[in-house]
């Protein structure tokens, strides 16, 4: 299935914090989005004007390659009802939330970076009018090789998934595409450069 299939995003409310910029990083499975975000977070560590969002997810804390807050479905729904999320969505049996306090960082004029979903971008744009999209991608043959290396799907299933998945962002967004088909170092420099251009804007 497409990494964005079955996603059911919901917008929790509009932020009036327009001093800073929300950068949402998206991309298909196998593109290396989480790895690049982790490298960027390490590079900007200690910068008071750069804030990486710690998502709330209904999965084990040790699962995946992302530092996140793990909660039960019941706790997630309680947080959602309490207005704790700026944006939330569902994907493949999991629920994801962007904490509402991201607006506090934006109000201070900071750059806020979140791990997002292409299908939820219109909800991000409503919640955060000053939105920048960073789309991490790679050539189809590279994505196929990486996905097959995980050993979770057959080659046929991987190719079918890629055939159904668009590698570009659809819609009228301010998008920077980063091709992670080559060396990790080159893609790391690209995402760091893209984020640095947003600081203080």
């Amino acid at each position: 299935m497409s990494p964005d299939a079955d996603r059911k995003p919901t917008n929790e409310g509009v932020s009036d914090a327009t001093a800073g910029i929300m950068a949402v990083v998206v991309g298909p499975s196998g593109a290396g989005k989480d790895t690049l975000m982790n490298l960027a977070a390490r590079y900007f560590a200690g910068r008071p004007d750069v804030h990486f969002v710690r998502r709330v997810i209904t999965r084990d804390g040790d699962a995946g390659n992302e530092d996140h807050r793990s909660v039960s479905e019941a706790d997630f729904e309680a947080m959602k009802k309490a207005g704790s999320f700026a944006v939330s969505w569902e994907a493949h049996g999991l629920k994801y939330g962007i904490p509402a306090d991201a607006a506090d960082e934006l109000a201070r004029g900071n750059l806020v970076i979140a791990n997002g979903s292409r299908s939820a971008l219109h909800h991000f744009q409503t919640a955060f009018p000053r939105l920048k999209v960073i789309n991490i991608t790679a050539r189809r043959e590279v994505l196929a090789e990486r996905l097959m290396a995980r050993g979770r799907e057959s080659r046929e299933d991987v190719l079918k998934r890629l055939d159904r998945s668009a590698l570009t962002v659809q819609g009228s967004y301010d998008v920077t595409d980063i091709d992670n088909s080559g060396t990790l170092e080159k893609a790391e420099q690209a995402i760091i450069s893209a984020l640095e251009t947003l600081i203080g804007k």
Side-chain angles (χ1 to χ4, degrees), residues 145-162:
E145 181 179 340
R146 291 174 182 169
L147 291 172
M148 285 185 288
R150 296 177 180 179
R152 302 174 191 167
E153 300 170 282
S154 68
R155 178 180 177 81
E156 181 181 1
D157 288 340
V158 166
L159 294 177
K160 284 181 179 179
R161 181 214 284 235
L162 292 175

Side-chain angles (χ1 to χ4, degrees), residues 34 55 57-61 63-66 68 70-71 94 96:
D34 291 345
R55 294 195 297 182
I57 309 176
T58 56
R59 71 180 176 199
D60 292 339
N65 188 29
E66 174 187 355
H68 64 280
S70 176
V71 300
L94 298 176
Y96 299 80

Side-chain angles (χ1 to χ4, degrees), residues 29-61:
S29 294
K33 175 179 66 169
D34 291 345
T35 297
L36 289 177
M37 287 192 70
N38 289 338
L39 290 170
R42 185 183 309 167
Y43 177 85
F44 289 106
R47 287 283 300 265
D49 53 351
V50 180
H51 175 74
F52 283 79
V53 172
R54 188 168 183 248
R55 294 195 297 182
V56 177
I57 309 176
T58 56
R59 71 180 176 199
D60 292 339

Side-chain angles (χ1 to χ4, degrees), residues 85-103:
F85 301 131
V87 176
S88 68
W89 67 94
E90 298 180 27
H92 310 301
L94 298 176
K95 297 180 180 180
Y96 299 80
I98 302 297
D101 61 10

Side-chain angles (χ1 to χ4, degrees), residues 18-21 49 104-111 198-201:
T18 57
I21 294 178
D49 53 351
D104 297 334
E105 296 293 336
L106 291 170
R108 298 184 185 103
N110 295 336
L111 170 63
L198 300 176
I199 297 174
K201 274 196 172 183

